[in-house]
């Protein structure tokens, strides 16, 4: 009878599991989310908004609640004090994320932590009373120190629950075995805390911890999540590697309902930081009945090159993957995780635009490929740019072509080529020597190898798409225009013209005529399908184009300005249809914080001049802290804040995806899609840490607009070939300058060609 009863119970268990599995499958089949339950992935705020404020501080937790989805989960790393009370603090030792060394000096101790001798100021050596004067500070030095003086006290597990009132609460126990060795019981604390605090999740990387707490929280207790560390690391209580435990998910299911894994467990990277094929972990875990949560998300770290420095793209690859969706993400920047989930998931390339502005490329998709190459332009078109741009420069034989710089040393390996002796100094262009476009013929330029721009290589060691750093070929203006004309998605082209006066007077090259002739030859003079915009920083250039054509003209103001006179606007309207201004002319910045919003955009738009703003880049170091290291937050703040008419960007995909933002179609104003309020973040900075007052940017006046007409074309002397040393008395010093310039070029190009470590 006992055997029959056991068999019956087993059969009932199997049937129940099958019924539950069928119910979950039916629920998932109706949901757009292929998570285990069919619910949207959870946004878990690690220590609150710890990407900006001190980890586990009141400010961090409160800001996370203000800027995240309504069901956001607050994460607390639980540590125990000497008096067995639980506090939220990111590590066992306290020096890195608090000012404890100021409050408690000369109290370092050493312990063995999982067999590793560790020295520091440990939480267990201090009572909660001892810690009352200890404040939280940033734990990652690359993040802003401006919030360190905000006197954020250490919070207990209970105080987070009572003061912040999180909708969902996650307690992570990283070192239960260590505390047990010191006669402190983490399980006893958690069970006691659960009497007054509702705990939704408990995670730990230690198997034996779950055996201790099994059955101690009742039927409605928290979900248990086993946390995986590095695959080669040893789990301290079983002496097995996490990789070996991963191969037996049915074992994990015996004590946990979910797993928390690093990103690489799902989407591994190769040695060059490119994505490899995804693993089957999510699908395998779901089959075993385990939810999958993923850790390691932060906007201010270097992510896989495949994402083009765009954190939303990274989140979507985990949340909205064609093959799976994880059940939650652990993030230092929950605002980006929230927007990724609610605003950009399940949005196809053909989805309807929710907002109208122009996405204008900057040298094509130059954040992904060498600027002004065929591959950069093709990617810009594929990524959804409305307008692609060509900065036109002239070769010595009069061919107009697209280049990101008049100095070929900035965009090619010319300094390592046979043409390296063509370096010359042109004071009208730069005080430094250069190898200029007008020093080479077009066939010679076509032999040069393009080089991708790396604006943040030096200070931050950020490298753009290294595998494609020399990809593509340069295009003549004619080839560029034909490429654009054959695209069905582009609305127009923007042609930039600079140095026109110098080229006419000193080189005998008429770039205005060359552009107009090429537009006519490629069929744009009669085209009604593609808009042509001519851009320049010189009013004289645009006046010349206006006299000879009907193309739209765009005046570019290079300076960062605080305001613009009405009289200057009236002058601009005489020759321009639109204006380009710099980002700092909209939102001035002091020490990486926005101080205010100018009225420049408003004044120009009131005069019927559309405003395009440059330069948008995805690297988080290009943005003030107010945008939370997220290029999508930055774009949103310019579009829904001052309401600019277009973005000029090196990463067109990010701006084009924003236009399909589902949250913009919603009647509800969600906090994770609210524009940054100028100066608001500074109000959260302690007065002792405020940046000093900055000198104001200049006022733009009509005197800045007015220029003499372009000079006539001067016939070029056949003896003044650029790069050829002069024979007059100044030749030695000129040759010295050229030699020094050449040495600088070669040095720079050798650095650019070094292998990435």
């Amino acid at each position: 009878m006992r055997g029959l009863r056991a068999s019956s119970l087993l059969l009932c268990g199997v049937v129940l599991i099958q019924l539950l599995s069928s119910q979950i499958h039916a629920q998932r089949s109706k949901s757009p989310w292929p998570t285990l339950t069919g619910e949207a992935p959870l946004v878990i705020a690690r220590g609150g908004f710890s990407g900006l404020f001190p980890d586990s501080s009141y400010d961090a937790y409160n800001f996370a609640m203000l800027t995240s989805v309504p069901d956001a989960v607050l994460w607390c790393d639980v540590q125990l004090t000497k008096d067995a009370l639980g506090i939220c603090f990111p590590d066992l030792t306290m020096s890195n994320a608090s000012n404890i060394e100021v409050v408690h000096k000369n109290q370092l101790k050493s312990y063995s932590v999982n067999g590793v001798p560790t020295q520091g100021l440990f939480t267990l050596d201090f009572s909660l009373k001892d810690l009352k004067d200890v404040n939280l500070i940033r734990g990652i030095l690359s993040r802003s120190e401006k919030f360190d003086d905000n006197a954020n006290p250490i919070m207990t597990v209970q105080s987070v629950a009572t003061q912040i009132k999180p909708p969902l609460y996650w307690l992570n126990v990283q070192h239960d075995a260590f505390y047990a060795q010191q006669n402190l019981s983490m399980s006893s604390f958690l069970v006691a805390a659960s009497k007054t605090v509702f705990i939704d999740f408990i995670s730990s990387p230690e198997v034996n911890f779950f055996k201790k707490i099994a059955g101690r929280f009742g039927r409605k207790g928290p979900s248990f999540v086993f946390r995986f560390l590095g695959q080669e690391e040893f789990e301290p209580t079983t002496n097995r590697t996490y990789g070996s435990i991963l191969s037996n998910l049915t074992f994990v299911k015996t004590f946990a309902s979910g797993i928390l894994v690093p990103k690489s467990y799902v989407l591994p990277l190769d040695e060059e930081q490119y994505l490899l094929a995804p693993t089957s972990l999510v699908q395998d875990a779901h089959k075993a009945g385990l939810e999958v949560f993923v850790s390691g998300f932060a906007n201010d770290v270097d992510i896989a090159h495949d994402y083009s420095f765009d954190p939303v793209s990274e989140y979507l690859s985990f949340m909205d993957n064609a093959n799976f969706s994880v059940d939650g993400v652990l993030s230092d920047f929950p605002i980006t995780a929230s927007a990724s989930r609610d605003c950009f998931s399940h949005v196809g390339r053909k989805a309807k635009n929710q907002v109208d502005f122009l996405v204008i490329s900057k040298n094509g998709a130059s954040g992904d490929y060498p600027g002004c190459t065929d591959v950069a332009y093709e990617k810009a078109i594929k990524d959804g740019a409305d307008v692609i741009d060509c900065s036109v420069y002239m070769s010595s034989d009069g061919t107009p072509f697209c280049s990101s710089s008049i100095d070929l040393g900035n965009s090619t390996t010319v300094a390592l080529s046979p043409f390296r002796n063509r370096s010359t100094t042109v004071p009208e262009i730069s005080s430094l020597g250069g190898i200029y476009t007008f020093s080479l013929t077009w066939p010679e330029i076509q032999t040069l190898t393009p080089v991708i721009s790396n604006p943040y290589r030096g200070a931050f060691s950020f490298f753009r798409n290294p595998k494609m750093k020399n990809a593509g070929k340069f295009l003549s203006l004619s080839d560029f225009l034909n490429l654009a004309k054959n695209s069905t998605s582009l609305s127009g082209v923007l042609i930039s013209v600079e140095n026109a006066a110098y080229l006419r007077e000193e080189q005998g090259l008429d770039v205005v005529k060359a552009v107009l002739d090429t537009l006519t030859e490629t069929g744009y003079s009669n085209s009604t399908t593609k808009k042509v915009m001519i851009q320049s920083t010189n009013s004289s250039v645009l006046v010349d184009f206006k006299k000879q054509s009907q193309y739209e003209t765009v005046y570019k103001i290079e300076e960062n300005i605080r305001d613009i006179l009405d009289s200057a606007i009236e002058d601009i309207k005489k020759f321009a249809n639109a204006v380009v201004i710099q980002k700092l002319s909209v939102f001035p910045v002091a020490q990486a914080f926005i101080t205010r919003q100018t009225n420049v955009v408003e004044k120009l738009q009131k005069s019927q001049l559309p405003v395009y703003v440059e330069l948008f880049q995805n690297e988080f170091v290009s943005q003030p802290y107010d945008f939370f290291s997220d290029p999508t937050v930055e774009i949103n703040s310019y579009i829904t804040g001052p309401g600019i008419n277009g973005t000029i960007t090196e990463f067109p995909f990010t701006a084009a995806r924003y236009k399909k933002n589902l949250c913009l179609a919603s009647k509800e104003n969600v906090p994770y899609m609210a524009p940054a309020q100028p100066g608001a973040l500074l109000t959260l900075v302690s007065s002792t840490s405020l940046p000093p007052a900055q000198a104001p940017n200049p006022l733009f006046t009509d005197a800045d607009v007015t220029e003499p007409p372009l000079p006539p074309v001067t016939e070029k002397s056949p003896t003044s070939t650029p790069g050829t040393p002069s024979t007059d008395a100044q030749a030695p010093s000129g040759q010295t300058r050229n030699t020094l310039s050449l040495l600088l070029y070669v040095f720079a190009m050798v650095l650019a060609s070094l292998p990435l470590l």
Side-chain angles (χ1 to χ4, degrees):
M1 290 294 291
R2 182 177 295 176
L4 180 60
R5 178 180 294 178
S7 298
S8 299
L9 287 173
L10 179 61
L11 178 61
C12 289
V14 170
V15 171
L16 284 172
I17 290 172
Q18 288 178 339
L19 287 172
L20 181 60
S21 176
S22 299
Q23 186 177 5
I24 291 175
H25 178 75
Q27 183 178 350
R28 288 179 62 189
S29 65
K30 297 177 183 178
S31 168
W33 297 104
T35 55
L36 181 65
T37 63
E39 299 293 327
L42 289 174
V43 173
I44 309 159
R46 192 189 69 82
F49 206 122
S50 55
L52 185 64
F53 299 100
D55 193 317
S56 305
S57 66
Y58 178 89
D59 287 350
Y61 284 128
N62 188 51
F63 203 73
M65 295 298 297
L66 293 173
T67 57
S68 303
V69 288
D71 61 343
V73 186
L74 292 192
W75 166 287
C76 164
D77 281 296
V78 184
Q79 314 297 341
L80 293 179
T81 61
K82 181 192 293 186
D83 40 355
L85 298 176
I87 60 172
C88 295
F89 194 83
D91 201 2
L92 280 172
T93 60
M94 305 186 70
S95 296
N96 193 46
S98 77
N99 67 345
I100 192 167
E101 291 187 353
V102 176
V103 180
H104 296 286
K105 299 177 181 179
N106 305 317
Q107 297 189 39
L108 291 176
K109 288 191 177 181
S110 293
Y111 292 93
S112 176
V113 181
N114 295 337
V116 179
T118 305
Q119 187 181 62
L121 294 165
F122 288 77
T123 62
L124 57 78
D125 289 321
F126 302 92
S127 68
L128 188 61
K129 184 177 180 180
D130 294 333
L131 298 176
K132 67 181 180 64
D133 294 325
V134 176
N135 291 323
L136 298 167
I137 61 174
R138 60 175 176 160
I140 298 176
L141 293 180
S142 60
R143 291 174 174 170
S144 177
E145 79 288 358
K146 296 299 183 182
F147 304 102
D148 287 356
D149 292 335
N150 282 16
N152 273 296
I154 293 173
M155 301 189 74
T156 66
V157 169
Q158 289 87 347
S159 63
V160 171
T162 56
Q163 294 180 37
I164 306 296
K165 297 179 174 58
L168 295 169
Y169 200 13
W170 186 311
L171 303 184
N172 180 60
V173 177
Q174 200 74 3
H175 296 287
D176 172 68
F178 169 76
Y179 285 115
Q181 291 168 4
Q182 313 307 320
N183 298 316
L184 289 170
S185 175
M186 182 66 76
S187 55
S188 295
F189 165 74
L190 292 175
V191 171
S194 68
K195 307 298 183 184
T196 57
V197 174
F198 195 86
I199 305 168
D200 298 280
F201 298 90
I202 296 177
S203 61
S204 176
E206 298 179 1
V207 172
N208 284 358
F209 168 72
F210 292 103
K211 294 180 180 179
K212 290 181 184 179
I213 63 175
R216 298 188 64 181
F217 293 90
R219 295 177 58 188
K220 295 184 179 181
S223 299
F224 295 159
V225 179
F226 181 59
R227 185 176 192 180
F228 283 82
L229 305 181
Q231 294 204 34
E232 301 303 319
E233 293 185 53
F234 281 87
E235 193 281 322
T237 64
T238 63
N239 206 31
R240 295 172 57 189
T241 65
Y242 287 99
S244 68
I245 297 174
L246 185 69
S247 65
N248 191 357
L249 292 175
T250 54
F251 165 66
V252 177
K253 180 61 178 173
T254 63
F255 60 84
S257 61
I259 58 176
L260 174 64
V261 299
K263 292 184 294 186
S264 60
Y265 275 54
V266 179
L267 292 175
L269 304 179
D270 65 17
E271 293 180 352
E272 297 181 272
Q273 291 295 104
Y274 286 91
L275 289 172
L276 297 171
T279 69
S280 60
L281 174 61
V282 178
Q283 295 93 324
D284 295 342
H286 284 171
K287 287 178 183 177
L290 291 165
E291 291 188 291
V292 181
F293 305 98
V294 181
S295 63
F297 290 92
N299 295 358
D300 57 352
V301 296
D302 202 1
I303 57 179
H305 294 298
D306 310 69
Y307 301 128
S308 302
F309 302 97
D310 182 351
V312 171
S313 290
E314 182 182 41
Y315 281 109
L316 293 178
S317 70
F318 287 85
M319 292 180 169
D320 193 21
N321 192 289
N323 301 310
F324 60 82
S325 175
V326 301
D327 299 275
V329 292
L330 179 61
S331 174
D332 291 10
F333 292 82
I335 188 172
T336 303
S338 298
S340 300
R341 189 189 85 174
D342 281 13
C343 306
F344 297 107
S345 289
H346 310 129
V347 177
R349 284 186 173 270
K350 296 183 179 180
K352 179 183 176 182
N353 288 340
Q354 305 296 338
V355 63
D356 184 28
F357 66 92
L358 286 181
V359 176
I360 306 170
S361 74
K362 180 69 172 182
N363 304 319
S366 56
D368 294 304
Y369 291 98
C372 297
T373 59
D374 55 341
V375 289
Y377 289 126
E378 287 164 2
K379 189 169 194 306
I381 295 170
K382 178 183 176 183
D383 286 350
D386 300 302
V387 175
I388 58 173
D389 69 305
C390 171
S391 295
V392 176
Y393 294 101
M394 301 290 286
S395 62
S396 62
D397 53 357
T399 301
F401 69 99
C402 304
S403 176
S404 60
S405 174
I406 194 171
D407 184 350
L408 293 169
N410 293 331
S411 58
T412 75
T413 58
V414 67
L416 303 178
S417 75
F419 313 117
R420 57 185 176 272
N421 64 337
R422 307 269 183 100
S423 176
T424 187
T425 301
V426 180
E428 296 92 334
I429 297 175
S430 173
S431 60
L432 302 175
I435 302 176
Y436 294 103
T437 61
F438 48 78
S439 298
L440 277 72
T441 65
W442 174 234
E444 289 173 333
I445 291 170
Q446 288 178 292
T447 68
L448 299 177
T449 301
V451 174
I452 198 169
S453 169
N454 281 306
Y456 304 105
R457 170 181 180 147
F460 303 98
S461 297
F462 283 178
F463 295 91
R464 293 174 170 178
N465 201 4
K467 284 185 178 178
M468 296 297 167
K469 65 179 182 180
N470 300 122
K473 62 179 182 179
F474 294 113
L475 298 181
S476 66
L477 177 59
S478 177
D479 291 335
F480 166 83
L481 291 171
N482 284 323
L483 174 68
K485 188 166 64 173
N486 292 330
S487 166
T488 57
S489 61
L490 288 176
S491 62
V493 294
L494 183 145
I495 297 171
S496 179
V497 175
E498 300 296 338
N499 307 112
Y502 170 81
L503 291 174
R504 280 188 173 188
E505 282 189 309
E506 303 298 330
Q507 300 299 328
L509 297 169
D510 190 346
V511 63
V512 174
K513 183 178 186 302
V515 168
L516 290 171
D517 288 348
T518 307
L519 283 166
T520 300
E521 292 164 6
T522 51
Y524 278 78
S525 59
N526 300 316
S527 174
T528 58
T529 58
K530 292 286 189 291
K531 178 194 300 186
V532 175
M533 296 187 286
I534 308 294
Q535 174 187 287
S536 183
T537 59
N538 298 118
S539 59
S540 56
V541 170
L542 299 182
V543 168
D544 212 23
F545 272 102
K546 275 291 188 185
K547 288 179 180 177
Q548 303 182 60
S549 70
Q550 297 298 313
Y551 301 123
E552 289 190 22
T553 48
V554 181
Y555 185 54
K556 179 178 176 179
I557 300 176
E558 282 187 302
E559 302 88 348
N560 297 321
I561 61 174
R562 71 174 188 272
D563 199 355
I564 183 169
L565 292 181
D566 292 338
S567 54
I569 296 175
E570 289 305 311
D571 283 348
I572 292 170
K573 288 181 66 177
K574 295 174 184 176
F575 59 83
N577 305 103
V579 177
V580 170
I581 61 175
Q582 307 303 304
K583 290 193 298 186
L584 294 181
S585 295
V586 183
F587 294 126
V589 169
Q591 292 189 7
F593 286 90
I594 294 175
T595 56
R596 65 186 187 92
Q597 177 180 321
T598 72
N599 64 350
V600 174
V601 173
E602 179 185 5
K603 291 177 74 171
L604 289 167
Q605 289 177 339
K606 279 185 177 179
S607 295
Q608 308 304 311
L609 287 170
V611 180
Y612 311 129
V613 174
E614 70 170 28
L615 176 66
F616 288 85
Q617 299 170 314
N618 280 4
E619 290 94 341
F620 71 88
V621 292
S622 70
Q623 303 143 18
Y625 291 117
D626 306 69
F627 300 140
F628 313 126
S629 303
D630 184 345
T632 299
V633 173
E634 180 178 44
I635 292 168
N636 180 60
S637 297
Y638 278 88
I639 297 299
T640 62
I644 66 174
N645 303 97
T647 59
I648 300 176
T649 173
E650 295 178 333
F651 296 87
F653 177 81
T654 302
R657 182 190 58 212
Y658 172 81
K659 296 174 75 170
K660 304 179 188 302
N661 183 341
L662 295 177
C663 292
L664 297 179
S666 173
K667 294 181 181 179
E668 298 180 15
N669 295 321
V670 293
Y672 38 92
M673 201 45 64
Q677 298 302 307
L681 198 56
L682 274 177
T683 65
L684 303 179
V685 174
S686 166
S687 59
T688 59
S689 298
L690 286 172
Q694 302 287 304
N697 289 326
L699 173 69
F700 198 77
T701 70
D702 22 354
D704 297 306
V705 180
T706 305
E707 290 181 350
L710 283 179
V713 178
T714 302
E715 186 174 349
K716 186 178 177 182
S717 169
T719 60
S720 60
T721 303
T724 302
S726 172
T727 57
D728 61 19
Q730 298 298 318
S733 62
Q735 290 173 356
T736 300
R737 285 198 304 271
N738 290 347
T739 302
L740 288 172
S741 300
L742 177 59
L743 288 173
L744 288 171
Y745 265 114
V746 172
F747 179 67
M749 295 314 302
V750 168
L751 281 178
S753 63
L754 286 174
L756 301 180
L757 300 178

